[in-house]
Amino acid sequence: MVKTSRYILVLIGVLVLSIVLPDQFWTVFREGFRTPNVMYSQVIDDFIIVRSAEDGTERLDPAGNSYTADEVEELLPLLFFRQLSADGNMPDSIRGVPADHATISKHRSTYTFMPRNINTPKPVLLPLLESQSGRVNLTLPEDVFRLNNRIEFIVAETNTVDKEKSIRFNDALVDAGFQFPARLIAGIPTVMKSRDEGYFIKDNSGDLFHLKKVRGKPYVRHISVPDHLNIVHIECVDMRTEELYAYLYTDDNEVYILLEGAYYLQELPVGGFNRHTDRLRVRHDMFGKTISVIGDHSLKVTRIDDAYQVVDTYETTWEPRQKRSDYQLFSWLFPFEVSMEAPDSRYVGMYFSFAHGFGWLVLHLLLAGLLIYLLKRRNSSLRKNSIDLALVLLTGIFGFIAVRVFPNKFYD
Amino acid sequence: MYKAIFYKEWLKIRWALMIFLLLGVFALVNIFLNVRYGVRFMDAHDYWYRIIIQGSNYAASLKYIPLFAGLGLAIAQYFPEVLNQRIKLTFHLPIRENKVLLMQQGFGLAALIVLFLIYLAVFFIGSAIFFPSEVINMILVTIMPWFLGGLAAYSLVGLIMLEPLWLYRVLYAVIAYGFVSRFYIQAVPMAYSNMLWFFSLTAVLTVILVLFSGYRFRKGEMHHG
Amino acid sequence: MYAIECNNLTHYYGKKLVYENLNFKVEEGKILGLLGKNGAGKSTTINIMNGFLHPYAGECLIYGEDSKHLTPATKEKIGFLIEGHVQYAFMNVHQIEKFYSGCYKRWNSEPYWELLSKLQVTPNQKISRMSCGQRSQVALGLILAQDPQLLVLDDFSMGLDPGYRRLFIDYLREYAKANNKTVFVTSHIIQDMERLIDDLLIMDYNRILAQQPVDEFMTKFRQYNIILDNPDIPFPKNGLSVNVEQIRAKVSFYTYAERKEVEGYLNREGIPFKSIEEINMNLEDAFIGLTGKY
């Protein structure tokens, strides 16, 4: 039992050290890295790539022509119109379309998806706002709703269910063919948006429904989803152009947008996208969208026009981070690291990441040798320390410190 | 024999237990007075919104109380034992040394768990007045690691205090700090929901850790040089 | 069987030798005093005997059982008074009696209350708020109530007023002899010790200086005061001599030899002296004579 308690302590030691030591390592040795930024120029009908180079920032087009910062601003009037206007360099029209502030900014928005958007605790209850109150400002309702085997509204003031309203909305859902329980729900539960579009809900059969409250009454709209699409994640957007409601992700890593009015699911060209590892960035402008799929060491950019047709694509890769000198140094010191937090999740967990390569083997052998020397000096038998030795070979510096902090000194 | 050991432990911890009972209940009453104010005198739905959507935790001020209770109880229990090496008296009792240590540790842990259950009962009763089950559950999952951290801290302080050598006490304390601080990571509500099993398991496993430094004490590690 | 039997006990603190191959036995019913200066290894021995220290080599048997793994049954037979009369000081006299009575099958509270009745303590007074002397009585009372076969008392006289020391010693001897208990005491204060112990074991840094019944030691170990003719002739420190202290012409000569032997020895060594006189010693004098003043 005493030996068991020691092994528990040693394991706790290894765990703590494999969290703390790499963390300290990164604060000292982390090399900054910026993902290249790729934008689409309406002036030259081509991509502009802005990225870090050895001597500062590099601004290029795919052909390799280099630009100054000022030139880049002029090539990207839809992004830099405020600066260009201030300088008096803003063109009156772009591609023959009059380009005033109002039009540009109305169309301009950026949507970003990150893997941690999926791996996050979801709100347990949601407010259903009034979408046509006749007022300019949105207000929070007096209640929130739960949605599982039925929909129920709970009034905050009294902490009781509003039975009448619950039945009304439940009936509306059932009448529209909604099959409980709900599988997914997405909306924008805030008043800080241009308008309210309620929620998009995936029911038990895999179909989508749009639920809103319109002048106190339920609005439910069934949206048919092709059978082969298994929607696993929905993110609503608040676009003043009223072009689309939401971005939808399928388990095949396809990305769709749900168009307003027609409730049509339009697929986006995001080939190779992986929702567990990649970021997705969509820049909307008055002529189309620039879609960036940002992976660990690659970037794929697709330009589509306002009819969702591909205009141009650009791909670039860079050195995988495992090859960077800070990661190389890491792999000589540590076999792995544990982090309680991960960039891809808002959940606390034990996230293991293993070193790239086997450089750590050298240190592990040295430490095992040092341990053998220390044991021999104390006339301890190696057989009684075989688990410690194995641990040092396996976990290196973590195990070595842990077995020394909790000494393996047992009598008889 | 059980009765006698438990009696001794009770004499040591009863004041600390009482203080932390009052402190915790006072903190909880304060929490629910604030909640009441929020619900009655501000807009209830705004208050709810802040909790449910914006992730504000109405029980946040409870955060370190279970930790302090764990530390306090361990100190109340082990300080009188290590002062003048009185633990020798305990080890000299006609009972196996590991058994008596586990009885002490088990009693302290049970007392701490009862204390925490009282906190949680007050928390639950207070919450049920103002919030639906989803919110109570969400906050419960959020504050649970703080309680488990209190249990782990309790066991680890026992380990540290029984260790006969100061150098090792410091080393244990560094590891213990690194470990226990994992229970108190600043995170979104319910962030720990996937890890509660792991933290519960470790909190339970730490009960036997005191055997390690107890053994080192018994074998006279401080006299070996 | 012996109550205590230590065989070839060897211990180091780090590289520093405490003692090597220490051997001693304590018969049942005897009172043995382990006497030595501070740091001579008394506490080490007590710790090993009670299983609080794993010796470097050798063994210590308590009623035939290796002290490294004392069973609860054996521990029940041992009454242990820790150096400084350490007890659970957060308890009062009633609480501590209640606690211990639940731990020992043979518990008999009579001697405890008897000893306590002599003290001016209030029932709710915590032990931590008692004087050293009062605490010693509480600690002794608890051990007596435990009714052990073997009493191990570590440096019990430390910090006691002469009155309490006498009380303690007299009560203890009377009790031990009446109930045929074995007692093992250590002390660095020798005063009054001859009233208590039957056998002595005198330890110095890493060796044993004497190990015999007190009576035998007191009759055989002698001090002679010798006045020399010529203080410049070096006085020999070997042969019959156990210890020699010289202040100019005056020599205190400690030996196990009789007067005639000493005189013959001095003559043979060619040490002229004016006078030689045997001095009566109590145990404390003998102890200092044996171990030296330093």
Side-chain angles (χ1 to χ4, degrees):
Chain A
M1 193 91 128
V2 180
K3 285 190 177 152
T4 311
S5 70
R6 174 173 180 266
Y7 286 121
I8 294 173
L9 281 168
V10 168
L11 288 179
I12 288 177
V14 169
L15 175 67
V16 168
L17 292 163
S18 61
I19 294 170
V20 174
L21 294 183
D23 195 49
Q24 292 298 313
F25 171 87
W26 288 122
T27 23
V28 177
F29 294 105
R30 169 90 65 197
E31 287 172 11
F33 177 77
R34 260 173 56 208
T35 310
N37 191 5
V38 178
M39 291 151 290
Y40 190 76
S41 165
Q42 307 299 330
V43 179
I44 57 168
D45 282 340
D46 212 338
F47 293 104
I48 304 286
I49 302 115
V50 178
R51 67 182 178 204
S52 313
E54 307 236 324
D55 45 353
T57 307
E58 205 174 55
R59 300 165 194 87
L60 307 163
D61 62 21
N65 302 311
S66 182
Y67 301 96
T68 65
D70 289 345
E71 284 168 340
V72 164
E73 287 181 2
E74 284 177 28
L75 292 177
L76 298 164
L78 294 180
L79 287 169
F80 294 103
F81 67 92
R82 278 169 54 90
Q83 185 60 46
L84 291 173
S85 303
D87 299 343
N89 289 338
M90 186 66 193
D92 294 336
S93 67
I94 300 165
R95 294 174 161 252
V97 180
D100 56 291
H101 277 199
T103 317
I104 292 173
S105 58
K106 182 182 172 188
H107 284 86
R108 196 177 76 156
S109 65
T110 303
Y111 163 77
T112 308
F113 165 87
M114 288 186 287
R116 71 184 318 182
N117 293 7
I118 292 179
N119 300 319
T120 187
K122 312 283 185 297
V124 289
L125 299 165
L126 288 162
L128 184 62
L129 277 63
E130 171 56 55
S131 35
Q132 286 186 29
S133 65
R135 311 283 308 166
V136 180
N137 290 330
L138 292 167
T139 53
L140 285 173
E142 302 289 319
D143 53 19
V144 289
F145 68 90
R146 62 165 67 105
L147 184 69
N148 29 52
N149 288 318
R150 61 166 95 65
I151 188 166
E152 268 184 334
F153 290 85
I154 309 144
V155 182
E157 183 80 46
T158 56
N159 190 24
T160 52
V161 173
D162 182 340
K163 290 210 176 93
E164 184 274 323
K165 184 177 179 184
S166 301
I167 290 167
R168 209 148 33 90
F169 277 77
N170 204 64
D171 287 352
L173 278 169
V174 172
D175 289 348
F178 190 92
Q179 290 180 32
F180 286 102
R183 293 294 176 202
L184 272 182
I185 181 159
I188 311 176
T190 174
V191 294
M192 310 294 282
K193 57 187 177 183
S194 61
R195 67 209 154 89
D196 181 69
E197 281 300 340
Y199 292 91
F200 291 89
I201 310 167
K202 180 186 163 184
D203 78 349
N204 198 32
S205 71
D207 271 352
L208 276 182
F209 291 81
H210 188 188
L211 172 69
K212 284 202 284 190
K213 182 165 76 178
V214 181
R215 292 190 204 92
K217 293 198 175 60
Y219 166 94
V220 182
R221 164 83 190 240
H222 174 250
I223 305 159
S224 45
V225 175
D227 280 346
H228 66 277
L229 290 191
N230 181 14
I231 293 163
V232 291
H233 183 62
I234 306 172
E235 287 185 17
C236 291
V237 289
D238 174 39
M239 285 176 67
R240 284 196 285 151
T241 50
E242 306 192 359
E243 178 197 355
L244 58 97
Y245 290 124
Y247 281 80
L248 299 92
Y249 298 80
T250 70
D251 65 347
D252 295 334
N253 281 315
E254 292 166 340
V255 179
Y256 289 82
I257 49 178
L258 180 61
L259 301 182
E260 286 206 37
Y263 286 99
Y264 176 73
L265 287 172
Q266 169 67 48
E267 188 175 358
L268 291 182
V270 292
F273 167 74
N274 181 342
R275 68 182 184 280
H276 298 299
T277 55
D278 299 340
R279 279 185 290 152
L280 177 70
R281 188 169 60 214
V282 183
R283 282 207 180 95
H284 309 254
D285 60 49
M286 51 193 282
F287 297 105
K289 301 178 191 354
T290 308
I291 302 166
S292 301
V293 175
I294 305 154
D296 185 45
H297 58 281
S298 69
L299 171 65
K300 194 179 156 200
V301 190
T302 309
R303 175 68 193 178
I304 56 173
D305 61 17
D306 51 9
Y308 311 109
Q309 298 304 304
V310 174
V311 175
D312 201 353
T313 62
Y314 172 81
E315 266 182 75
T316 183
T317 58
W318 51 88
E319 198 181 46
R321 60 174 177 201
Q322 289 88 346
K323 293 243 165 71
R324 269 160 39 194
S325 59
D326 51 352
Y327 277 84
Q328 290 290 307
L329 179 58
F330 182 94
S331 71
W332 283 94
L333 294 175
F334 308 110
F336 61 87
E337 68 175 308
V338 179
S339 179
M340 302 298 286
E341 291 159 293
D344 292 350
S345 175
R346 285 194 178 85
Y347 286 106
V348 171
M350 286 222 280
Y351 301 100
F352 279 81
S353 34
F354 292 91
H356 200 72
F358 296 94
W360 44 265
L361 256 176
V362 179
L363 181 63
H364 286 201
L365 289 170
L366 284 174
L367 289 171
L370 178 58
L371 183 63
I372 291 171
Y373 166 75
L374 291 168
L375 292 172
K376 282 281 154 207
R377 218 180 50 172
R378 281 227 172 232
N379 289 326
S380 306
S381 94
L382 292 186
R383 205 171 53 81
K384 280 182 182 165
N385 288 285
S386 49
I387 296 180
D388 281 14
L389 274 167
L391 199 71
V392 171
L393 282 172
L394 226 62
T395 67
I397 197 156
F398 310 140
F400 183 80
I401 296 174
V403 301
R404 301 304 291 176
V405 167
F406 303 106
N408 190 17
K409 266 182 100 176
F410 291 97
Y411 300 93
D412 304 327
Chain B
M1 184 63 102
Y2 281 88
K3 251 179 81 180
I5 301 292
F6 293 160
Y7 176 65
K8 171 165 76 80
E9 300 311 304
W10 170 244
L11 289 178
K12 285 188 290 183
I13 63 172
R14 53 186 177 165
W15 292 113
L17 210 55
M18 220 56 86
I19 287 166
F20 282 105
L21 180 65
L22 289 175
L23 187 73
V25 170
F26 177 78
L28 280 158
V29 166
N30 200 44
I31 282 169
F32 287 110
L33 286 177
N34 280 331
V35 170
R36 207 183 93 149
Y37 180 82
V39 169
R40 295 279 145 79
F41 300 103
M42 294 160 60
D43 279 331
H45 58 274
D46 270 344
Y47 192 76
W48 276 31
Y49 180 81
R50 246 177 269 163
I51 293 163
I52 298 167
I53 306 295
Q54 296 181 326
S56 125
N57 183 349
Y58 60 87
S61 60
L62 207 60
K63 187 163 187 178
Y64 293 107
I65 290 179
L67 178 67
F68 290 139
L71 296 177
L73 218 60
I75 290 169
Q77 212 175 349
Y78 285 101
F79 183 72
E81 296 278 358
V82 295
L83 193 70
N84 297 324
Q85 302 192 337
R86 274 188 214 131
I87 190 75
K88 280 184 179 178
L89 293 168
T90 305
F91 285 146
H92 187 72
L93 295 172
I95 179 170
R96 294 264 171 215
E97 295 87 351
N98 283 344
K99 193 175 163 189
V100 76
L101 276 181
L102 286 180
M103 277 162 65
Q104 291 194 194
Q105 189 74 3
F107 182 83
L109 194 76
L112 198 59
I113 289 173
V114 168
L115 177 73
F116 287 175
L117 286 177
I118 295 172
Y119 287 177
L120 289 173
V122 176
F123 165 80
F124 191 81
I125 292 166
S127 296
I129 299 171
F130 301 103
F131 300 109
S133 59
E134 285 87 349
V135 174
I136 302 174
N137 182 56
M138 162 181 149
I139 301 297
L140 199 61
V141 169
T142 309
I143 66 178
M144 215 50 196
W146 306 345
F147 286 88
L148 296 172
L151 299 182
Y154 166 75
S155 296
L156 288 165
V157 170
L159 168 89
I160 292 164
M161 294 192 73
L162 266 194
E163 164 62 41
L165 294 176
W166 268 104
L167 170 69
Y168 284 92
R169 276 190 183 163
V170 172
L171 293 174
Y172 298 173
V174 170
I175 298 283
Y177 174 80
F179 184 64
V180 172
S181 57
R182 303 299 130 195
F183 291 76
Y184 297 89
I185 296 171
Q186 196 63 252
V188 296
M190 298 215 287
Y192 276 92
S193 46
N194 298 335
M195 286 297 283
L196 281 184
W197 67 270
F198 173 77
F199 284 110
S200 308
L201 184 74
T202 48
V204 169
L205 280 180
T206 52
V207 177
I208 68 164
L209 297 185
V210 72
L211 295 183
F212 181 69
S213 48
Y215 179 87
R216 286 169 58 78
F217 185 97
R218 285 195 284 127
K219 294 298 169 184
E221 207 50 58
M222 58 291 200
H223 301 307
H224 285 281
Chain C
M1 190 175 53
Y2 293 96
I4 306 170
E5 187 179 350
C6 287
N7 299 318
N8 300 317
L9 222 46
T10 301
H11 197 68
Y12 292 87
Y13 285 164
K15 288 206 160 42
K16 187 181 159 244
L17 179 69
V18 182
Y19 43 61
E20 202 168 9
N21 291 324
L22 178 71
N23 289 288
F24 69 89
K25 296 183 174 87
V26 183
E27 282 173 47
E28 285 193 61
K30 291 282 186 181
I31 303 180
L32 181 127
L34 172 59
L35 311 178
K37 296 178 192 170
N38 276 328
K42 298 190 301 291
S43 289
T44 303
T45 313
I46 289 268
N47 280 329
I48 291 172
M49 273 171 48
N50 285 288
F52 292 123
L53 179 57
H54 198 99
Y56 178 83
E59 58 173 9
C60 194
L61 305 176
I62 308 293
Y63 293 109
E65 193 174 284
D66 193 330
S67 68
K68 285 168 213 154
H69 316 280
L70 290 177
T71 57
T74 305
K75 286 197 285 183
E76 186 151 15
K77 286 193 238 171
I78 310 169
F80 182 28
L81 183 88
I82 299 179
E83 189 174 343
H85 316 285
V86 169
Q87 263 305 344
Y88 295 112
F90 52 88
M91 297 188 188
N92 65 33
V93 291
H94 288 275
Q95 288 168 333
I96 203 163
E97 196 274 332
K98 184 176 166 190
F99 166 64
Y100 277 115
S101 67
C103 295
Y104 292 102
K105 289 190 212 85
R106 294 163 58 89
W107 189 260
N108 169 20
S109 58
E110 233 171 85
Y112 176 74
W113 294 121
E114 190 186 327
L115 263 175
L116 250 60
S117 65
K118 300 186 177 125
L119 306 180
Q120 306 292 318
V121 293
T122 57
N124 287 323
Q125 192 176 343
K126 284 217 175 110
I127 293 169
S128 57
R129 287 172 48 216
M130 293 180 184
S131 74
C132 191
Q134 289 171 328
R135 281 207 307 271
S136 73
Q137 298 301 293
V138 172
L140 180 65
L142 290 170
I143 286 171
L144 301 186
Q146 180 193 334
D147 194 21
Q149 280 171 250
L150 168 65
L151 288 82
V152 178
L153 313 175
D154 192 6
D155 226 345
F156 70 86
S157 53
M158 199 167 74
L160 291 190
D161 299 340
Y164 270 117
R165 188 165 62 226
R166 278 279 169 92
L167 177 66
F168 196 105
I169 282 173
D170 293 347
Y171 197 95
L172 181 61
R173 179 161 180 99
E174 146 90 41
Y175 170 84
K177 289 300 165 194
N179 298 289
N180 194 33
K181 305 291 186 192
T182 312
V183 182
F184 183 95
V185 298
T186 73
S187 185
H188 67 281
I189 295 167
I190 315 302
Q191 222 179 335
D192 293 335
M193 205 52 81
E194 61 258 62
R195 298 170 74 96
L196 176 64
I197 60 179
D198 301 325
D199 299 310
L200 58 72
L201 184 65
I202 296 180
M203 262 174 120
D204 201 0
Y205 307 102
N206 64 41
R207 64 204 168 110
I208 287 184
L209 296 177
Q211 185 173 10
Q212 52 201 292
V214 177
D215 299 344
E216 194 183 311
F217 176 70
M218 295 301 289
T219 46
K220 289 195 174 159
F221 188 64
R222 301 181 175 95
Q223 177 186 359
Y224 299 97
N225 279 1
I226 302 164
I227 307 295
L228 300 177
D229 282 344
N230 181 358
D232 296 332
I233 299 173
F235 198 91
K237 297 197 173 176
N238 48 12
L240 295 179
S241 146
V242 172
N243 191 16
V244 175
E245 279 162 12
Q246 180 172 10
I247 301 168
R248 295 195 53 77
K250 190 187 171 201
V251 171
S252 297
F253 186 75
Y254 298 94
T255 178
Y256 286 104
E258 289 181 24
R259 185 184 185 119
K260 276 188 183 134
E261 288 177 83
V262 176
E263 285 172 357
Y265 167 74
L266 290 173
N267 288 332
R268 273 198 309 283
E269 294 284 328
I271 311 286
F273 58 93
K274 284 198 182 82
S275 67
I276 180 165
E277 180 194 3
E278 187 173 343
I279 305 294
N280 267 330
M281 293 192 290
N282 62 20
L283 185 59
E284 189 172 10
D285 300 330
F287 176 80
I288 294 168
L290 188 64
T291 60
K293 285 177 183 146
Y294 306 104

